[in-house]
């Protein structure tokens, strides 16, 4: 997808540096590019966005994540920092990360805002952060999974409603290999 506007490039050398190199709120149309030494995981970008404002709807696509990552997501749901959470994982996740998968499904089912965990042949690392009330839509496209990997990772954060809509439409159309969220239905961007 083609994007416009300024591109900012930074090198992050640690999670603490992420807050120093990224603005708290991404300006409309801006795209920030970060290269890390493998010490900034995908979840850190979501944490950065949530520090500035809550999200009515978050979409997370990752190949895998740890139980600790699931617990962070659950805490943000419980605290009201995330209203609705849809998670898309790779086909290895239920078997190779069974405790994390089971807990993620339990958390999503218990949350009143709804959401789902869809398992498919996925290797995409994308986070979509939506706060429609503030017209704030940021898409995080990365080589990084939610969990830490000690390798160089590149990430781009782009504030663009059309880009967020593109990913939402794509992920809304995913049919899960696991049949445990068949009652889930797309609802567009949630405003509360």
């Amino acid at each position: 997808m083609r994007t416009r506007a300024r591109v900012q490039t930074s090198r992050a050398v640690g999670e603490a540096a992420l807050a120093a190199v990224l603005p708290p709120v991404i300006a409309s149309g801006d795209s920030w590019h970060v290269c890390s030494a493998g010490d900034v995981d995908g979840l850190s970008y979501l944490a950065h966005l949530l520090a500035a404002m809550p999200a009515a709807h978050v979409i997370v696509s990752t190949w895998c994540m740890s139980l600790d990552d699931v617990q962070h997501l659950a805490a943000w749901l419980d605290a009201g920092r995330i209203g609705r959470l849809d998670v898309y994982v790779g086909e290895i996740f239920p078997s190779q990360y069974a405790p994390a998968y089971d807990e993620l499904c339990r958390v999503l089912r218990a949350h009143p805002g709804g959401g789902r965990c869809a398992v498919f042949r996925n290797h995409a690392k994308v986070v979509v952060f939506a706060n429609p009330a503030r017209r704030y839509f940021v898409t995080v496209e990365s080589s990084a999974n939610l969990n830490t990997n000690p390798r160089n990772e590149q990430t781009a954060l782009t504030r663009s409603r059309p880009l967020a809509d593109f990913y939402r439409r794509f992920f809304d159309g995913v049919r899960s290999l696991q049949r445990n969220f068949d009652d889930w239905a797309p609802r567009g961007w949630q405003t509360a």
Side-chain angles (χ1 to χ4, degrees):
M1 185 158 198
R2 193 172 178 187
T3 60
R4 63 166 181 79
R6 299 175 300 245
V7 174
Q8 307 278 338
T9 305
S10 301
R11 167 168 259 128
V13 294
E15 190 167 343
L18 194 58
V21 299
L22 291 176
V25 174
I26 308 294
S28 183
D30 272 7
S31 181
W32 284 77
H33 295 250
V34 178
C35 283
S36 72
D39 51 358
V40 180
D41 58 32
L43 197 63
S44 298
Y45 293 95
L46 180 55
H48 180 79
L49 295 169
L50 287 169
M53 70 184 75
H57 193 162
V58 170
I59 297 168
V60 172
S61 174
T62 185
W63 190 53
C64 63
M65 71 179 89
S66 70
L67 183 57
D68 185 60
D69 299 325
V70 173
Q71 292 166 345
H72 275 88
L73 293 168
W76 288 326
L77 284 165
D78 290 344
R81 300 300 296 165
I82 297 174
R84 178 181 170 106
L85 178 64
D86 297 320
V87 181
Y88 299 86
V89 295
E91 70 279 9
I92 59 98
F93 188 61
S95 61
Q96 294 186 19
Y97 297 83
Y101 174 72
D102 293 342
E103 179 64 5
L104 179 61
C105 290
R106 186 197 68 72
V107 165
L108 292 173
R109 287 193 182 292
H111 185 63
R116 74 165 168 168
C117 178
V119 178
F120 71 117
R121 294 185 56 81
N122 182 34
H123 203 246
K125 288 87 171 189
V126 176
V127 172
V128 180
F129 180 101
N131 184 324
R134 294 190 52 185
R135 296 187 180 113
Y136 192 74
F137 298 85
V138 176
T139 301
V140 180
E141 300 164 297
S142 183
S143 63
N145 285 301
L146 285 194
N147 56 338
T148 302
N149 181 2
R151 291 174 177 80
N152 177 64
E153 304 283 4
Q154 107 295 332
T155 303
L157 295 87
T158 305
R159 183 170 170 191
S160 164
R161 170 76 187 257
L163 184 60
D165 288 342
F166 166 78
Y167 279 112
R168 185 185 52 79
R169 284 189 305 271
F170 172 79
F171 287 115
D172 281 355
V174 167
R175 183 173 164 91
S176 181
L177 297 172
Q178 300 286 328
R179 310 308 318 159
N180 57 355
F181 281 89
D182 281 347
D183 56 343
W184 177 91
R187 296 189 302 187
W189 296 122
Q190 301 303 296
T191 57

